[in-house]
Amino acid sequence: MSQEQHRNALVLGAGGGLGQAIVAQLLTDTSIDRVIAVSRNAQTEDLSSHWMSSNRLTWITSEYTEPAMSEIVAQLMPLAGTLSRVCICHGLLHNDSIWPEKRLEDISGDALHEIFHANTVIPSLWFKLLYRLLAGKQRCVVATLSARVGSIGDNRVGGWYAYRASKSALNMMLKTIAVEYARRAKNVKLISFHPGTTDTALSKPFQASVHKDSLFSTVFVAERLTGIMDRAEVDGQLSYVDWDGKTIPW
Ligand SMILES: NC(=O)c1ccc[n+]([C@@H]2O[C@H](COP(=O)([O-])OP(=O)(O)OC[C@H]3O[C@@H](n4cnc5c(N)ncnc54)[C@H](OP(=O)(O)O)[C@@H]3O)[C@@H](O)[C@H]2O)c1
């Protein structure tokens, strides 16, 4: 394992519940020089009041069109070879016009497109664009927020067609990217991470059916994730693991 000499971290889709907690957790690690966060939204007051005096956090506000993402990566090129942690947090389950499907009749082409775009297409584009920034000698761990419901083997209850399928497709993209990164960016370890049901806007409408011991805080999950990233071996493989570090079947 190579030394982690210049440790910088990047959080993409940083404005959500888990994204913000991961940014805050990375900032508590004083061996990380700088955390760069990218979101469609401005930094929240919570995060800025806590880290106002910190010049270690850079917050970039952007849309996720491919040209805009490309521009962000170009802006970050001076940091090439220094990133040791990357977290990709994008995820869409519901919004004003989309609700998880309960039955076949609920399937909508527009919703499938929108959910696949947020959950599968945008993370995949980041991997394409980030390759030049990440490849090098620095040990680098990239965690993408996936979900256990993306497991085909674990699908016993059905429903949630678009979200499930977009996370399964994300896993296949990540597995395929891992094969290529193992050849072209041997210093990078990829993780597909299931946080468990976590108290954020994404899970809010479904929390009533979750036992209180099974609903995690974002702080707990961010600590778990960064611990898993710290310990991960760079082995050219994609690991699909949960918050407890346990492997999930594909
Ligand atoms: N909470 C849970 O119980 C749970 C369970 C399993 C998996 N996950 C996964 O964990 C990740 C984080 O979710 P969260 O719970 O923190 O949810 P959240 O608070 O709703 O945050 C959603 C995140 O996704 C991004 N996003 C939302 N809509 C998008 C769109 N249309 N295009 C691009 N990006 C979009 C947001 O980025 P901006 O910063 O730009 O707003 C934000 O970072 C997701 O991948 C989710 O699927 C969550």
Side-chain angles (χ1 to χ4, degrees):
M1 199 181 285
S2 66
Q3 291 294 309
E4 296 188 333
Q5 285 160 346
H6 308 281
R7 297 195 357 139
N8 291 305
L10 177 63
V11 182
L12 302 162
L18 278 161
Q20 288 188 56
I22 291 166
V23 169
Q25 179 62 29
L26 289 166
L27 284 165
T28 64
D29 180 346
T30 50
S31 69
I32 292 180
D33 296 335
R34 213 173 138 191
V35 178
I36 298 116
V38 179
S39 174
R40 294 165 302 177
N41 300 301
Q43 196 174 333
T44 61
E45 268 180 39
D46 241 20
L47 208 57
S48 33
S49 62
H50 199 62
W51 297 103
M52 196 126 69
S53 57
S54 168
N55 53 9
R56 292 166 57 231
L57 175 60
T58 305
W59 192 276
I60 300 171
T61 306
S62 174
E63 290 303 317
Y64 303 119
T65 60
E66 195 171 347
M69 294 162 76
S70 217
E71 178 57 37
I72 290 167
V73 174
Q75 202 181 319
L76 297 178
M77 270 325 272
L79 297 182
T82 72
L83 288 167
S84 60
R85 300 286 180 274
V86 179
C87 296
I88 304 178
C89 304
H90 305 279
L92 175 61
L93 173 61
H94 57 87
N95 61 20
D96 291 347
S97 55
I98 295 176
W99 194 251
E101 312 87 341
K102 287 194 173 139
R103 51 190 197 141
L104 287 170
E105 288 78 358
D106 297 335
I107 295 174
S108 137
D110 289 345
L112 277 168
H113 277 290
E114 197 169 332
I115 290 199
F116 266 72
H117 190 76
N119 297 359
T120 317
V121 176
I122 291 173
S124 305
L125 288 175
W126 279 128
F127 278 98
K128 167 181 132 176
L129 297 167
L130 286 173
Y131 158 72
R132 283 188 310 133
L133 200 55
L134 304 186
K137 292 200 167 65
Q138 165 78 51
R139 173 178 179 272
C140 175
V141 183
V142 184
T144 308
L145 282 269
S146 184
R148 192 187 299 277
V149 296
S151 164
I152 293 173
D154 192 60
N155 184 359
R156 289 179 298 268
V157 294
W160 291 25
Y161 285 89
Y163 186 75
R164 259 183 207 289
S166 68
K167 293 293 191 180
S168 306
L170 170 68
N171 283 345
M172 181 56 95
M173 289 301 290
L174 293 175
K175 183 88 182 171
T176 309
I177 289 162
V179 171
E180 191 165 346
Y181 266 49
R183 282 201 309 271
R184 298 178 58 190
K186 294 186 196 319
N187 58 313
V188 180
K189 166 69 184 173
L190 302 192
I191 297 174
S192 174
F193 180 72
H194 168 62
T197 307
T198 310
D199 185 11
T200 67
L202 182 140
S203 69
K204 200 62 92 192
F206 313 99
Q207 290 179 4
S209 58
V210 179
H211 189 274
K212 68 173 175 24
D213 295 337
S214 305
L215 180 64
F216 299 142
S217 73
T218 55
V219 175
F220 170 79
V221 174
E223 280 171 5
R224 286 299 180 128
L225 174 59
T226 51
I228 288 168
M229 293 176 86
D230 289 345
R231 292 186 297 275
E233 189 192 338
V234 181
D235 57 1
Q237 303 289 320
L238 170 69
S239 298
Y240 182 27
V241 294
D242 68 9
W243 54 274
D244 204 16
K246 294 209 175 80
T247 297
I248 301 171
W250 300 111

Short mmCIF file of all heavy atoms in Angstrom, two decimals, residues 42-84:
data_model
loop_
_atom_site.label_atom_id
_atom_site.label_comp_id
_atom_site.label_asym_id
_atom_site.label_seq_id
_atom_site.Cartn_x
_atom_site.Cartn_y
_atom_site.Cartn_z
N ALA A 42 -26.28 25.71 -2.38
CA ALA A 42 -25.24 26.38 -1.58
C ALA A 42 -25.05 25.61 -0.28
O ALA A 42 -25.94 24.88 0.17
CB ALA A 42 -25.67 27.80 -1.29
N GLN A 43 -23.90 25.81 0.31
CA GLN A 43 -23.57 25.20 1.60
C GLN A 43 -24.64 25.57 2.63
O GLN A 43 -25.04 26.74 2.69
CB GLN A 43 -22.22 25.79 2.01
CG GLN A 43 -21.49 25.08 3.07
CD GLN A 43 -20.12 25.73 3.24
OE1 GLN A 43 -19.57 26.30 2.30
NE2 GLN A 43 -19.58 25.68 4.42
N THR A 44 -25.12 24.62 3.42
CA THR A 44 -26.16 24.95 4.39
C THR A 44 -25.56 25.71 5.57
O THR A 44 -24.37 25.61 5.85
CB THR A 44 -26.82 23.67 4.95
OG1 THR A 44 -25.81 22.91 5.59
CG2 THR A 44 -27.47 22.85 3.87
N GLU A 45 -26.44 26.41 6.28
CA GLU A 45 -25.97 27.20 7.43
C GLU A 45 -25.33 26.32 8.49
O GLU A 45 -24.34 26.68 9.09
CB GLU A 45 -27.14 27.96 8.04
CG GLU A 45 -27.28 29.33 7.44
CD GLU A 45 -28.44 30.07 8.06
OE1 GLU A 45 -28.63 29.95 9.27
OE2 GLU A 45 -29.15 30.75 7.30
N ASP A 46 -25.92 25.13 8.68
CA ASP A 46 -25.41 24.18 9.67
C ASP A 46 -23.93 23.89 9.44
O ASP A 46 -23.11 23.99 10.34
CB ASP A 46 -26.14 22.85 9.49
CG ASP A 46 -26.89 22.47 10.72
OD1 ASP A 46 -27.12 23.39 11.52
OD2 ASP A 46 -27.22 21.28 10.86
N LEU A 47 -23.65 23.54 8.19
CA LEU A 47 -22.28 23.17 7.83
C LEU A 47 -21.38 24.39 7.86
O LEU A 47 -20.27 24.35 8.38
CB LEU A 47 -22.29 22.54 6.43
CG LEU A 47 -21.21 21.54 6.09
CD1 LEU A 47 -21.20 20.37 7.07
CD2 LEU A 47 -21.46 20.98 4.69
N SER A 48 -21.89 25.55 7.35
CA SER A 48 -21.01 26.72 7.32
C SER A 48 -20.76 27.28 8.71
O SER A 48 -19.65 27.69 9.01
CB SER A 48 -21.46 27.80 6.35
OG SER A 48 -22.82 27.87 6.27
N SER A 49 -21.77 27.23 9.61
CA SER A 49 -21.51 27.80 10.94
C SER A 49 -20.45 26.95 11.65
O SER A 49 -19.58 27.46 12.33
CB SER A 49 -22.78 27.88 11.77
OG SER A 49 -23.29 26.60 11.96
N HIS A 50 -20.52 25.64 11.46
CA HIS A 50 -19.57 24.75 12.11
C HIS A 50 -18.17 24.89 11.52
O HIS A 50 -17.18 24.83 12.24
CB HIS A 50 -20.07 23.32 11.96
CG HIS A 50 -19.45 22.38 12.94
ND1 HIS A 50 -19.63 22.52 14.29
CD2 HIS A 50 -18.64 21.32 12.78
CE1 HIS A 50 -18.97 21.57 14.92
NE2 HIS A 50 -18.35 20.83 14.03
N TRP A 51 -18.10 25.05 10.22
CA TRP A 51 -16.80 25.02 9.55
C TRP A 51 -16.40 26.38 8.98
O TRP A 51 -15.50 26.47 8.17
CB TRP A 51 -16.79 23.96 8.44
CG TRP A 51 -16.99 22.61 9.01
CD1 TRP A 51 -18.13 21.87 8.98
CD2 TRP A 51 -16.03 21.83 9.74
NE1 TRP A 51 -17.95 20.68 9.64
CE2 TRP A 51 -16.66 20.63 10.12
CE3 TRP A 51 -14.69 22.03 10.11
CZ2 TRP A 51 -16.01 19.64 10.86
CZ3 TRP A 51 -14.06 21.05 10.84
CH2 TRP A 51 -14.71 19.87 11.21
N MET A 52 -17.10 27.43 9.47
CA MET A 52 -16.88 28.77 8.92
C MET A 52 -15.40 29.15 8.98
O MET A 52 -14.86 29.70 8.03
CB MET A 52 -17.67 29.80 9.71
CG MET A 52 -17.82 31.11 9.00
SD MET A 52 -19.53 31.53 8.90
CE MET A 52 -19.92 31.88 10.58
N SER A 53 -14.76 28.83 10.11
CA SER A 53 -13.38 29.26 10.28
C SER A 53 -12.41 28.33 9.54
O SER A 53 -11.21 28.58 9.49
CB SER A 53 -13.02 29.29 11.76
OG SER A 53 -13.24 28.00 12.28
N SER A 54 -12.95 27.24 8.99
CA SER A 54 -12.06 26.27 8.34
C SER A 54 -11.81 26.68 6.89
O SER A 54 -12.74 26.85 6.12
CB SER A 54 -12.71 24.89 8.37
OG SER A 54 -12.01 24.02 7.54
N ASN A 55 -10.53 26.80 6.54
CA ASN A 55 -10.26 27.04 5.12
C ASN A 55 -9.97 25.71 4.44
O ASN A 55 -9.43 25.67 3.35
CB ASN A 55 -9.10 28.03 4.94
CG ASN A 55 -7.88 27.55 5.72
OD1 ASN A 55 -7.88 26.43 6.24
ND2 ASN A 55 -6.85 28.39 5.79
N ARG A 56 -10.35 24.61 5.12
CA ARG A 56 -10.11 23.28 4.54
C ARG A 56 -11.29 22.83 3.69
O ARG A 56 -11.22 21.80 3.02
CB ARG A 56 -9.84 22.27 5.65
CG ARG A 56 -8.50 22.53 6.35
CD ARG A 56 -8.38 21.76 7.64
NE ARG A 56 -8.55 20.34 7.46
CZ ARG A 56 -9.39 19.57 8.15
NH1 ARG A 56 -10.15 20.11 9.09
NH2 ARG A 56 -9.46 18.29 7.93
N LEU A 57 -12.41 23.55 3.75
CA LEU A 57 -13.59 23.16 2.96
C LEU A 57 -13.80 24.11 1.79
O LEU A 57 -13.90 25.32 1.96
CB LEU A 57 -14.84 23.16 3.86
CG LEU A 57 -16.18 22.90 3.16
CD1 LEU A 57 -16.19 21.54 2.47
CD2 LEU A 57 -17.34 22.98 4.16
N THR A 58 -13.87 23.52 0.59
CA THR A 58 -14.20 24.29 -0.61
C THR A 58 -15.54 23.77 -1.13
O THR A 58 -15.66 22.57 -1.39
CB THR A 58 -13.13 24.09 -1.71
OG1 THR A 58 -11.87 24.42 -1.16
CG2 THR A 58 -13.41 24.93 -2.93
N TRP A 59 -16.51 24.65 -1.25
CA TRP A 59 -17.85 24.24 -1.68
C TRP A 59 -18.10 24.77 -3.09
O TRP A 59 -18.03 25.98 -3.32
CB TRP A 59 -18.89 24.79 -0.70
CG TRP A 59 -20.26 24.20 -0.89
CD1 TRP A 59 -21.21 24.61 -1.77
CD2 TRP A 59 -20.81 23.09 -0.16
NE1 TRP A 59 -22.33 23.81 -1.64
CE2 TRP A 59 -22.11 22.87 -0.66
CE3 TRP A 59 -20.32 22.25 0.84
CZ2 TRP A 59 -22.94 21.86 -0.18
CZ3 TRP A 59 -21.16 21.24 1.33
CH2 TRP A 59 -22.44 21.06 0.81
N ILE A 60 -18.36 23.87 -4.01
CA ILE A 60 -18.61 24.27 -5.41
C ILE A 60 -20.08 24.02 -5.72
O ILE A 60 -20.58 22.91 -5.51
CB ILE A 60 -17.72 23.46 -6.38
CG1 ILE A 60 -16.23 23.69 -6.07
CG2 ILE A 60 -18.03 23.79 -7.82
CD1 ILE A 60 -15.28 22.77 -6.83
N THR A 61 -20.75 25.04 -6.21
CA THR A 61 -22.17 24.89 -6.58
C THR A 61 -22.26 24.71 -8.10
O THR A 61 -21.71 25.51 -8.85
CB THR A 61 -22.96 26.14 -6.14
OG1 THR A 61 -22.73 26.34 -4.76
CG2 THR A 61 -24.45 25.95 -6.36
N SER A 62 -22.95 23.64 -8.51
CA SER A 62 -23.01 23.36 -9.95
C SER A 62 -24.20 22.47 -10.27
O SER A 62 -24.66 21.70 -9.44
CB SER A 62 -21.73 22.64 -10.37
OG SER A 62 -21.81 22.23 -11.71
N GLU A 63 -24.65 22.56 -11.51
CA GLU A 63 -25.59 21.57 -12.05
C GLU A 63 -24.77 20.36 -12.50
O GLU A 63 -23.53 20.43 -12.55
CB GLU A 63 -26.34 22.17 -13.25
CG GLU A 63 -27.34 23.26 -12.88
CD GLU A 63 -28.38 22.77 -11.87
OE1 GLU A 63 -28.88 21.64 -12.02
OE2 GLU A 63 -28.68 23.52 -10.93
N TYR A 64 -25.47 19.26 -12.85
CA TYR A 64 -24.73 18.05 -13.24
C TYR A 64 -24.87 17.75 -14.73
O TYR A 64 -25.08 16.60 -15.11
CB TYR A 64 -25.18 16.87 -12.40
CG TYR A 64 -25.03 17.10 -10.91
CD1 TYR A 64 -26.13 17.08 -10.06
CD2 TYR A 64 -23.78 17.36 -10.36
CE1 TYR A 64 -25.99 17.29 -8.70
CE2 TYR A 64 -23.62 17.59 -9.00
CZ TYR A 64 -24.74 17.55 -8.17
OH TYR A 64 -24.59 17.77 -6.83
N THR A 65 -24.80 18.79 -15.57
CA THR A 65 -24.70 18.52 -17.00
C THR A 65 -23.27 18.04 -17.24
O THR A 65 -22.36 18.38 -16.46
CB THR A 65 -24.94 19.79 -17.83
OG1 THR A 65 -23.94 20.75 -17.46
CG2 THR A 65 -26.33 20.38 -17.56
N GLU A 66 -23.07 17.28 -18.31
CA GLU A 66 -21.70 16.78 -18.55
C GLU A 66 -20.69 17.92 -18.73
O GLU A 66 -19.59 17.86 -18.16
CB GLU A 66 -21.67 15.78 -19.71
CG GLU A 66 -20.37 15.02 -19.71
CD GLU A 66 -20.32 13.86 -20.69
OE1 GLU A 66 -21.38 13.45 -21.22
OE2 GLU A 66 -19.21 13.35 -20.92
N PRO A 67 -21.03 19.01 -19.47
CA PRO A 67 -20.06 20.11 -19.59
C PRO A 67 -19.74 20.74 -18.22
O PRO A 67 -18.58 21.06 -17.94
CB PRO A 67 -20.75 21.12 -20.51
CG PRO A 67 -21.76 20.33 -21.25
CD PRO A 67 -22.20 19.21 -20.35
N ALA A 68 -20.75 20.89 -17.37
CA ALA A 68 -20.50 21.50 -16.05
C ALA A 68 -19.62 20.59 -15.20
O ALA A 68 -18.71 21.05 -14.50
CB ALA A 68 -21.83 21.78 -15.34
N MET A 69 -19.87 19.28 -15.26
CA MET A 69 -19.06 18.32 -14.49
C MET A 69 -17.62 18.32 -15.00
O MET A 69 -16.65 18.27 -14.23
CB MET A 69 -19.68 16.91 -14.59
CG MET A 69 -21.04 16.81 -13.94
SD MET A 69 -21.99 15.36 -14.48
CE MET A 69 -21.19 14.05 -13.58
N SER A 70 -17.50 18.40 -16.30
CA SER A 70 -16.19 18.45 -16.95
C SER A 70 -15.40 19.68 -16.50
O SER A 70 -14.20 19.61 -16.22
CB SER A 70 -16.44 18.55 -18.44
OG SER A 70 -15.56 17.85 -19.14
N GLU A 71 -16.12 20.79 -16.40
CA GLU A 71 -15.52 22.06 -15.96
C GLU A 71 -15.00 21.94 -14.52
O GLU A 71 -13.91 22.41 -14.19
CB GLU A 71 -16.58 23.15 -16.10
CG GLU A 71 -16.18 24.54 -15.67
CD GLU A 71 -14.94 25.05 -16.40
OE1 GLU A 71 -14.79 24.77 -17.60
OE2 GLU A 71 -14.13 25.71 -15.72
N ILE A 72 -15.77 21.28 -13.67
CA ILE A 72 -15.35 21.09 -12.27
C ILE A 72 -14.07 20.27 -12.23
O ILE A 72 -13.11 20.62 -11.52
CB ILE A 72 -16.46 20.39 -11.44
CG1 ILE A 72 -17.64 21.35 -11.26
CG2 ILE A 72 -15.94 19.92 -10.09
CD1 ILE A 72 -18.90 20.68 -10.76
N VAL A 73 -14.03 19.19 -13.00
CA VAL A 73 -12.84 18.33 -12.98
C VAL A 73 -11.63 19.12 -13.51
O VAL A 73 -10.53 19.02 -12.94
CB VAL A 73 -13.09 17.03 -13.80
CG1 VAL A 73 -11.81 16.21 -13.92
CG2 VAL A 73 -14.19 16.21 -13.13
N ALA A 74 -11.83 19.95 -14.53
CA ALA A 74 -10.73 20.77 -15.06
C ALA A 74 -10.22 21.72 -13.97
O ALA A 74 -9.00 21.88 -13.79
CB ALA A 74 -11.20 21.56 -16.28
N GLN A 75 -11.16 22.28 -13.23
CA GLN A 75 -10.82 23.20 -12.12
C GLN A 75 -10.00 22.48 -11.04
O GLN A 75 -9.16 23.08 -10.38
CB GLN A 75 -12.15 23.66 -11.54
CG GLN A 75 -12.17 24.93 -10.77
CD GLN A 75 -13.60 25.18 -10.25
OE1 GLN A 75 -14.59 24.97 -10.96
NE2 GLN A 75 -13.72 25.63 -9.03
N LEU A 76 -10.26 21.18 -10.88
CA LEU A 76 -9.59 20.41 -9.81
C LEU A 76 -8.27 19.78 -10.28
O LEU A 76 -7.57 19.17 -9.47
CB LEU A 76 -10.52 19.30 -9.29
CG LEU A 76 -11.81 19.76 -8.61
CD1 LEU A 76 -12.65 18.57 -8.19
CD2 LEU A 76 -11.50 20.64 -7.38
N MET A 77 -7.94 19.93 -11.56
CA MET A 77 -6.74 19.25 -12.09
C MET A 77 -5.46 19.55 -11.31
O MET A 77 -4.60 18.67 -11.19
CB MET A 77 -6.54 19.54 -13.59
CG MET A 77 -7.22 18.56 -14.52
SD MET A 77 -7.29 16.84 -14.00
CE MET A 77 -5.73 16.23 -14.63
N PRO A 78 -5.29 20.77 -10.73
CA PRO A 78 -4.08 20.98 -9.92
C PRO A 78 -3.98 19.98 -8.75
O PRO A 78 -2.90 19.79 -8.22
CB PRO A 78 -4.24 22.42 -9.40
CG PRO A 78 -5.12 23.08 -10.41
CD PRO A 78 -6.05 22.02 -10.91
N LEU A 79 -5.09 19.36 -8.37
CA LEU A 79 -5.05 18.38 -7.27
C LEU A 79 -4.81 16.95 -7.77
O LEU A 79 -4.88 16.00 -6.98
CB LEU A 79 -6.37 18.41 -6.49
CG LEU A 79 -6.73 19.70 -5.77
CD1 LEU A 79 -8.04 19.52 -5.01
CD2 LEU A 79 -5.63 20.10 -4.78
N ALA A 80 -4.53 16.80 -9.07
CA ALA A 80 -4.35 15.45 -9.64
C ALA A 80 -3.32 14.67 -8.82
O ALA A 80 -2.26 15.20 -8.48
CB ALA A 80 -3.91 15.55 -11.09
N GLY A 81 -3.68 13.44 -8.49
CA GLY A 81 -2.76 12.57 -7.75
C GLY A 81 -2.74 12.79 -6.26
O GLY A 81 -1.99 12.13 -5.54
N THR A 82 -3.57 13.70 -5.76
CA THR A 82 -3.55 13.96 -4.30
C THR A 82 -4.85 13.55 -3.61
O THR A 82 -4.96 13.65 -2.39
CB THR A 82 -3.32 15.46 -3.99
OG1 THR A 82 -4.51 16.18 -4.35
CG2 THR A 82 -2.13 16.02 -4.73
N LEU A 83 -5.84 13.12 -4.39
CA LEU A 83 -7.12 12.75 -3.75
C LEU A 83 -7.03 11.35 -3.17
O LEU A 83 -6.65 10.40 -3.86
CB LEU A 83 -8.26 12.83 -4.77
CG LEU A 83 -8.66 14.25 -5.19
CD1 LEU A 83 -9.56 14.20 -6.42
CD2 LEU A 83 -9.38 14.96 -4.05
N SER A 84 -7.38 11.22 -1.91
CA SER A 84 -7.33 9.89 -1.28
C SER A 84 -8.72 9.37 -0.94
O SER A 84 -8.88 8.19 -0.65
CB SER A 84 -6.47 9.93 -0.02
OG SER A 84 -7.00 10.85 0.89
#
